[in-house]
Amino acid sequence: MSVAEPRRIVLFRHAKADWPQVTDHERPLAERGRTDAAVAGRKLADTGIPIDLALCSTATRTRETWKLAVHELPHRPKTVYEERVYEASPGELITVLNETPDDVQNLVLIGHNPGVQGLAEVLSGSAEPEARERMSRRGFPAAAFAVVSFDGSWKSLEPGAATLLDYWAPSD
């Protein structure tokens, strides 16, 4: 696989979580979150991006979101549950992404705010105007995702290196 081909990253925030008496890491999805996760999976399938790898936070709500969303995709990518994605800053998420093997062309990262939204903003040195406007207007609600593209190796990914191509949120 050539590093000359643009790579795409789907930055996917977990769906709506419930607030039972458990630790934050163990919070499950709310009923609305389960519905929205499946809808987000269908919307992700509609993008036509063939996902090679999923990097998912180890938190219960992210694992549940991905389990529901991935069933909507035409093929199931390899999934890695990564502890460092939980409560990560944009810089910490870039460090995790920089470790991605170069045979991975397209990746989905399932994580949390404010890190996921911050990463979308930090990476996007340029943007499709409609995608930027929708993301600016909506923020990054639960189950939203942004698609960014960049050229080069994963090790070269840095702030401003990507283009925001698409953005979707429930009720869009």
Side-chain angles (χ1 to χ4, degrees):
M1 184 159 299
S2 168
V3 294
E5 297 175 49
R7 298 181 189 281
R8 289 171 289 189
I9 308 168
V10 178
L11 302 169
F12 187 3
R13 182 179 177 198
H14 67 78
K16 178 77 174 153
D18 204 353
W19 290 92
Q21 294 293 343
V22 297
T23 66
D24 182 69
H25 193 270
E26 300 307 315
R27 288 175 49 216
L29 290 181
E31 186 61 39
R32 187 182 103 209
R34 288 190 284 280
T35 300
D36 287 350
V39 171
R42 286 191 291 281
K43 292 297 183 182
L44 181 54
D46 289 347
T47 69
I49 298 170
I51 303 295
D52 302 312
L53 177 65
L55 292 177
C56 185
S57 163
T58 55
T60 299
R61 60 193 177 274
T62 51
R63 289 183 288 121
E64 288 180 352
T65 297
W66 182 236
K67 181 179 177 182
L68 293 164
V70 75
H71 284 296
E72 304 297 331
L73 301 181
H75 84 281
R76 184 182 211 101
K78 176 182 178 184
T79 299
V80 174
Y81 296 97
E82 174 57 66
E83 290 179 4
R84 295 177 296 166
V85 173
Y86 178 67
E87 294 188 335
S89 69
E92 292 165 330
L93 291 171
I94 289 173
T95 298
V96 171
L97 292 170
N98 287 154
E99 297 170 5
T100 303
D102 276 330
D103 63 343
V104 172
Q105 193 68 28
N106 301 305
L107 176 147
V108 60
L109 183 141
I110 308 95
H112 310 265
N113 257 6
V116 170
Q117 179 176 357
L119 182 59
E121 292 167 352
V122 164
L123 288 178
S124 299
S126 61
E128 292 294 327
E130 186 179 317
R132 185 177 305 278
E133 189 278 326
R134 283 195 323 268
M135 192 168 85
S136 295
R137 181 173 30 90
R138 296 289 324 276
F140 226 94
F145 66 81
V147 180
V148 300
S149 175
F150 73 99
D151 295 319
S153 70
W154 290 100
K155 288 177 182 66
S156 72
L157 182 64
E158 62 184 22
T163 300
L164 176 66
L165 299 178
D166 199 3
Y167 169 84
W168 179 85
S171 77
D172 261 7

